[in-house]
Amino acid sequence: MALQVTKGISERMETVLQNAVLAPSSHNTQPWRFRVAGDRVWLYADPIRALPVNDPEDRELTISCGCALMNLRVAAAAAGLVTSVTIDPGEDDEDLLAVVELSNSGVAEDEEAELFSAITERRTYRKRFENREVSASVLETLAGAAEREGAQLRILKETKTREAVARLVGEGDAAQWDNPSWRRELAAWMHPRREGDGLTVPWLVGPVAQLVVRTFDMGNGVAAKDTELAQESPVLAVLGTEQDRIADWLGAGQALERVLLTACRNGLQASYLNQPIQVASLRPRLQHATGQSGFPQILLRLGYPAEALPASPRRNLEAVVD
């Protein structure tokens, strides 16, 4: 990646941050900001890029920031740096999520450094996967990756459980598309690739696509498609945490990205079917259907991609770094 040196930070720090911002986020909102001084990084949630209808408590926004934090840790380890992360730093700013100290002293995390190459290869793969089974050893590795970050990845294997979860995905689609405010919010984040964020649509058809999404309830068709995707996915899994606080959401984000990078290293890609978690009335039903003791945070589908996809657009680093 060619560097465009950002004023006031070192080239090494810029490399770390360039990889941090390649994390996934809801609607590709990229809801993070960084402040840098020397070898210290402050990670903030960016409330301007929140999704008040889809994510009223900023839960997914915080998870997205956790994904960026994991990428930062991985990139730092690949550069031979040791990271010390303080969650809930106690400073008088509700948007501040974490402070990271980078140091040359000590030994960098080899396991994290090994994930570095996957940062640029990871994709959100919304298409059908190849009809290939994922081995038990790989699934065990993914579950271990989540545990390393204090989360649990529950692989849904039983047919009845998968069918129940797929139905909840369809119900979530129907509920969201029935909400005009939700449709307007979705349409607002449909952007041409050149804008660097959002859900990419060709610039010529963008206005028409936005109008259709705002105007028409397409819940039945989307529900049918997503239900089928859930049922057909080689792997369906729920990432959960014991508690449901901001620190847990940030931890869930770090666990999610470690799982995604580990999956990518094993030839897998993933996408999300979070509707049963986003619709508040369905979340307890998902918890019951999957037998989780804690709180479901992310519903994942994983498998082997049938084709290579381009990376989602990203904003320039200068837009997110102070």
Side-chain angles (χ1 to χ4, degrees):
M1 180 182 298
L3 295 180
Q4 299 176 346
V5 176
T6 304
K7 184 177 179 180
I9 68 174
S10 67
E11 186 173 311
R12 182 178 65 176
M13 181 66 79
E14 182 174 32
T15 300
V16 169
L17 294 175
Q18 286 278 17
N19 284 277
V21 301
L22 298 181
S25 58
S26 298
H27 292 6
N28 193 26
T29 53
Q30 303 166 47
W32 41 67
R33 291 195 64 82
F34 302 90
R35 181 162 63 89
V36 179
D39 288 328
R40 178 178 291 184
V41 181
W42 289 259
L43 170 63
Y44 295 86
D46 187 347
I48 294 175
R49 309 184 76 78
L51 299 168
V53 183
N54 189 66
D55 183 32
E57 295 183 334
D58 290 343
R59 184 186 59 83
E60 287 193 0
L61 182 152
T62 307
I63 289 174
S64 300
C65 290
C67 290
L69 177 57
M70 186 72 236
N71 273 8
L72 188 154
R73 291 167 50 195
V74 168
L81 298 171
V82 177
T83 54
S84 174
V85 181
T86 302
I87 305 297
D88 188 19
E91 300 184 28
D92 190 22
D93 189 334
E94 63 181 12
D95 295 327
L96 179 61
L97 298 174
V99 178
V100 186
E101 298 272 0
L102 286 76
S103 172
N104 289 310
S105 301
V107 180
E109 285 280 352
D110 288 340
E111 287 188 26
E112 292 177 5
E114 290 172 357
L115 297 174
F116 178 69
S117 62
I119 290 178
T120 55
E121 298 299 321
R122 182 206 61 79
R123 300 286 186 270
T124 299
Y125 194 87
R126 298 183 177 89
K127 301 184 178 185
R128 283 181 169 80
F129 293 117
E130 288 185 358
N131 187 20
R132 291 174 56 191
E133 191 172 316
V134 180
S135 70
S137 61
V138 170
L139 295 179
E140 185 177 341
T141 299
L142 297 181
E147 289 176 8
R148 282 288 303 270
E149 300 301 325
Q152 304 84 42
L153 185 71
R154 185 178 183 86
I155 309 297
L156 308 181
K157 298 179 180 179
E158 295 183 2
T159 301
K160 287 181 62 175
T161 302
R162 288 171 60 99
E163 290 176 347
V165 170
R167 287 194 295 271
L168 289 175
V169 170
E171 287 187 45
D173 276 324
Q176 289 179 328
W177 280 90
D178 187 52
N179 183 347
S181 296
W182 184 90
R183 298 201 305 270
R184 285 194 295 270
E185 185 174 81
L186 175 64
W189 282 96
M190 297 170 67
H191 297 163
R193 174 172 288 272
R194 66 173 181 268
E195 294 193 19
D197 62 4
L199 302 168
T200 305
V201 292
W203 70 274
L204 284 174
V205 302
V208 175
Q210 289 178 317
L211 177 63
V212 169
V213 167
R214 285 195 301 265
T215 307
F216 299 103
D217 179 356
M218 298 184 290
N220 289 336
V222 175
K225 175 178 174 291
D226 285 344
T227 299
E228 188 175 350
L229 278 179
Q231 291 172 332
E232 291 182 351
S233 295
V235 179
L236 200 60
V238 178
L239 181 77
T241 56
E242 288 300 322
Q243 301 297 324
D244 200 32
R245 304 159 300 189
I246 292 176
D248 301 295
W249 301 341
L250 196 66
Q254 293 176 85
L256 171 61
E257 187 68 349
R258 186 184 278 272
V259 168
L260 295 176
L261 296 179
T262 303
C264 187
R265 286 198 73 211
N266 285 275
L268 302 171
Q269 297 288 7
S271 65
Y272 316 97
L273 294 168
N274 289 327
Q275 298 90 324
I277 304 173
Q278 294 165 341
V279 177
S281 61
L282 299 181
R283 197 178 182 197
R285 292 172 57 188
L286 178 66
Q287 181 184 28
H288 177 74
T290 57
Q292 279 199 318
S293 59
F295 294 86
Q297 303 292 353
I298 297 289
L299 178 58
L300 275 175
R301 56 184 289 269
L302 300 103
Y304 294 99
E307 60 182 286
L309 298 180
S312 298
R314 287 294 185 273
R315 295 186 291 161
N316 292 331
L317 197 59
E318 290 84 352
V320 299
V321 175
D322 298 326

